[in-house]
Amino acid sequence: MASLSFNSTRITNPTTQSRKPNRLSRPTTTTFPSHVLSIKNPFKRPTLASNSVSESPQPVSAPPEDDDEEADEDEDDPTAELCFFDPGADPEAVKEWEMDFCSRPILDARGKKVWELVVCDKSLSLQYTKYFPNNVINSITLREAIVSIVDALGVPLPEKIRFFRSQMQTIITRACSELSIQPVPSKRCVSLLLWLEERYETVYTRHPGFQKGSKPLMALDNPFPMELPENLVGEKWAFVQLPYTAVQEEISSLESRYAFGGNLDLDLLGLEIDDGTLVPGLAVASSRAKPLAAWMNGLEVCSMEVDVSRACLILSVGVSTRYVYATYKKNAMTTREAEAWEAAKKACGGLHFLAIQENLDSDDCGVLAITGFAITQCLIFN
């Protein structure tokens, strides 16, 4: 069983040299009809920079705490804000940000919800938080906040900003567009989601204005899956598996092999998986492997999962789009295989992958696309 403990230390993967492609272990092959699936799994919290004190909206007064619950002298102030950039990191290398701009389960002195802007990059070299009253929430406020981050931390404007809340798409898109930044709706905000989980436990619940019983911070859309677009349909598919070491090699070799795919910093997540552990995945065969991989790579793939009750695979992409990626004939054997695949994913802490290749019998994975995101304590890879 894999365990997860978030590691905030930035680690550079070694340069991968030429090697023989990994052989996929393939338990089953099934004809690929034309539809998909999505997945979820647990993470843990990052160790983050200490807060720098600044003003936040005035919280409602809280009853005095018992002496034995008094905060330690060195403990972070939950009303403080954070403005941090790792002095050892290269500002020019931070080209993509992850952002959340939403209300928190905290009330201010007026009894209104406090909003918060949380920004980081995938390595957590950049960390920024700022509280806002609910009467200034618009694209102008957000645009000015983005510029203030750049000025305060001495970093350039990012090329892209990823965000995972569909309800904030209009405000974020408008603010980004005015600064010539590409807004990317995506659940592939792994570091941000982990950080928000950590902040809920260590900051929001300790804030004087915290409101118990508030709706979940990470409640996201989970719409009914649609039919897969024709250009994303493969010809055959199979449940497969790779040793964990082979998955690490595939991730580090994406650039050197000029393959399409999204990598994931497994060291940053602090995944504790034995090297020989078999990681489950889905292999898709297509005579159009390269264009298919290119199209898939542009979708912000979030997860792949089996819907056993409907005998299909569900692909989640972007923020709230789900496709029926493939179907299979439901019987006792295929149900066992599907359940075993999901169980293997759970045993690997949610880690799984999608491999697109020309031939399922090929030794070469062709294109290995692996990505991950956290949602409601669920880690999802592809």
Side-chain angles (χ1 to χ4, degrees), residues 79 84 126 146 229 231 233 267 273 281 335 357 363 370:
T79 66
F84 169 83
L126 184 155
I146 292 172
N231 64 323
V233 177
D267 292 313
I273 300 178
T335 296
Q357 55 196 98
D363 281 355
I370 299 180

Side-chain angles (χ1 to χ4, degrees), residues 63-71:
E65 301 287 344
D66 293 335
D67 290 341
D68 58 351
E69 294 180 355
E70 191 172 335

Side-chain angles (χ1 to χ4, degrees), residues 61 125 176 184 313 334:
S61 58
S125 295
C176 287
V184 182
L313 307 180
T334 57

Side-chain angles (χ1 to χ4, degrees), residues 335-347:
T335 296
R336 283 196 301 270
E337 289 171 351
E339 290 175 342
W341 192 77
E342 285 291 340
K345 250 185 351 186
K346 184 177 181 180

Side-chain angles (χ1 to χ4, degrees), residues 221-243:
D221 298 332
N222 195 31
F224 192 80
M226 304 180 295
E227 182 177 353
L228 188 69
E230 185 65 28
N231 64 323
L232 300 179
V233 177
E235 292 152 18
K236 290 183 179 180
W237 64 270
F239 289 130
V240 296
Q241 50 194 0
L242 275 174

Side-chain angles (χ1 to χ4, degrees), residues 134-149:
N134 72 336
N135 57 359
V136 298
I137 305 306
N138 53 51
S139 62
I140 297 174
T141 296
L142 181 57
R143 183 193 67 206
E144 292 174 350
I146 292 172
V147 172
S148 71
I149 294 173

Side-chain angles (χ1 to χ4, degrees), residues 169-371:
Q169 184 158 348
T170 300
I171 287 178
I172 293 176
T173 298
R174 185 173 298 169
C176 287
S177 298
E178 290 176 359
L179 295 170
S180 299
I181 299 170
Q182 180 184 350
V184 182
S186 175
K187 291 178 183 173
R188 285 167 52 179
C189 303
V190 181
S191 298
L192 175 63
L193 288 163
L194 285 172
W195 187 12
L196 287 172
E197 181 189 10
E198 187 268 351
R199 284 184 65 76
Y200 184 87
E201 297 294 335
T202 64
V203 177
Y204 307 144
T205 58
R206 293 176 46 244
H207 197 290
F210 177 69
Q211 297 297 295
K212 294 181 179 179
S214 300
K215 63 181 181 180
L217 183 67
M218 312 295 263
L220 300 177
D221 298 332
N222 195 31
F224 192 80
M226 304 180 295
E227 182 177 353
L228 188 69
E230 185 65 28
N231 64 323
L232 300 179
V233 177
E235 292 152 18
K236 290 183 179 180
W237 64 270
F239 289 130
V240 296
Q241 50 194 0
L242 275 174
Y244 182 58
T245 52
V247 172
Q248 292 175 303
E249 291 172 6
E250 292 292 345
I251 291 176
S252 63
S253 70
L254 281 174
E255 283 192 25
S256 63
R257 291 193 295 122
Y258 300 102
F260 294 101
N263 65 2
L264 183 71
D265 190 341
L266 301 179
D267 292 313
L268 180 68
L269 289 176
L271 281 165
E272 296 178 5
I273 300 178
D274 293 338
D275 289 346
T277 298
L278 293 176
V279 177
L282 189 75
V284 178
S286 173
S287 56
R288 306 171 297 111
K290 285 194 174 180
L292 176 58
W295 284 322
M296 291 290 287
N297 193 53
L299 288 179
E300 291 292 314
V301 173
C302 301
S303 64
M304 185 74 74
E305 68 181 333
V306 181
D307 185 332
V308 177
S309 64
R310 290 190 293 164
C312 66
L313 307 180
I314 305 296
L315 173 71
S316 288
V317 302
V319 169
S320 58
T321 302
R322 301 172 77 226
Y323 294 116
V324 177
Y325 192 70
T327 59
Y328 58 88
K329 185 176 180 179
K330 187 174 183 179
N331 56 43
M333 184 180 72
T334 57
T335 296
R336 283 196 301 270
E337 289 171 351
E339 290 175 342
W341 192 77
E342 285 291 340
K345 250 185 351 186
K346 184 177 181 180
C348 290
L351 184 66
H352 60 291
F353 64 86
L354 171 66
I356 299 175
Q357 55 196 98
E358 292 184 356
N359 190 330
L360 287 182
D361 295 321
S362 171
D363 281 355
D364 190 350
C365 288
V367 180
L368 182 64
I370 299 180
T371 189

Side-chain angles (χ1 to χ4, degrees), residues 26 68 78 128 133 150 194 234 258 276 326 382:
R26 174 163 48 88
D68 58 351
Y128 181 91
V150 170
L194 285 172
Y258 300 102
N382 278 310

